[in-house]
């Protein structure tokens, strides 16, 4: 079973919104809460790119492509990280993944299955 399980993707029209969720089902609170968490996305033929991150203290950072259109948040008691995206564009179409970041700001765990986001009319 994967350390992290993504959900919430789907088909949405341009300009629409989605909220993605990332659950850590096997982690206990004391393991999850100190993690620096991140969302990535990947389109076929391209490398996976980091699009948003949130520190244990809830400081956030966003890739330029999502600034102003996305909000990353976390609920440690639910061991869940969210990515709320709005004003979606066709070029947001991708498989979205979450992961924790290690001290080198690299992915800490193996990848889960991700959740597909398709923005199309």
């Amino acid at each position: 079973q994967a350390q992290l399980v993504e959900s919430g993707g789907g088909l949405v029209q341009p300009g629409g919104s989605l909220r993605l969720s990332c659950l850590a089902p096997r982690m206990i609170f004391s393991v999850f809460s100190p993690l620096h968490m991140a969302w990535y996305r990947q389109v076929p033929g391209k490398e996976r790119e980091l699009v948003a991150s949130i520190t244990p203290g809830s400081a956030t950072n966003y890739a330029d492509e999502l600034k102003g259109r996305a909000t990353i948040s976390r609920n440690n008691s639910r061991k869940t990280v969210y990515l709320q995206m709005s004003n979606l564009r066709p070029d947001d179409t991708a498989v979205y993944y979450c992961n924790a970041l290690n001290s080198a700001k690299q992915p800490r765990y193996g990848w889960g299955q991700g959740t597909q986001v398709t923005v199309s009319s």
Side-chain angles (χ1 to χ4, degrees):
Q1 188 177 7
Q3 290 280 8
L4 299 161
V5 180
E6 303 91 346
S7 63
L11 174 63
V12 62
Q13 291 187 341
S17 300
L18 279 176
R19 188 177 80 156
L20 308 182
S21 299
C22 168
L23 172 67
R26 298 196 295 168
M27 292 186 195
I28 59 176
F29 173 85
S30 60
V31 171
F32 180 82
S33 58
L35 292 176
H36 189 170
M37 298 298 297
W39 282 96
Y40 294 75
R41 69 184 183 186
Q42 186 173 28
V43 297
K46 292 190 176 181
E47 290 190 359
R48 202 173 338 235
E49 60 175 350
L50 191 153
V51 294
S53 65
I54 185 166
T55 68
S58 294
T60 59
N61 195 34
Y62 300 92
D64 288 343
E65 294 87 339
L66 284 184
K67 276 182 181 175
R69 301 189 297 120
T71 302
I72 186 172
S73 60
R74 65 193 298 158
N75 184 324
N76 289 335
S77 64
R78 295 184 177 180
K79 301 176 293 177
T80 301
V81 177
Y82 304 98
L83 184 67
Q84 175 75 47
M85 298 187 291
S86 60
N87 195 20
L88 285 162
R89 308 185 303 224
D91 60 1
D92 294 316
T93 296
V95 180
Y96 286 71
Y97 302 87
C98 69
N99 212 318
L101 301 178
N102 61 22
S103 58
K105 302 290 179 66
Q106 296 298 309
R108 179 184 290 269
Y109 301 117
W111 296 103
Q113 292 190 338
T115 187
Q116 174 72 49
V117 172
T118 302
V119 184
S120 175
S121 54

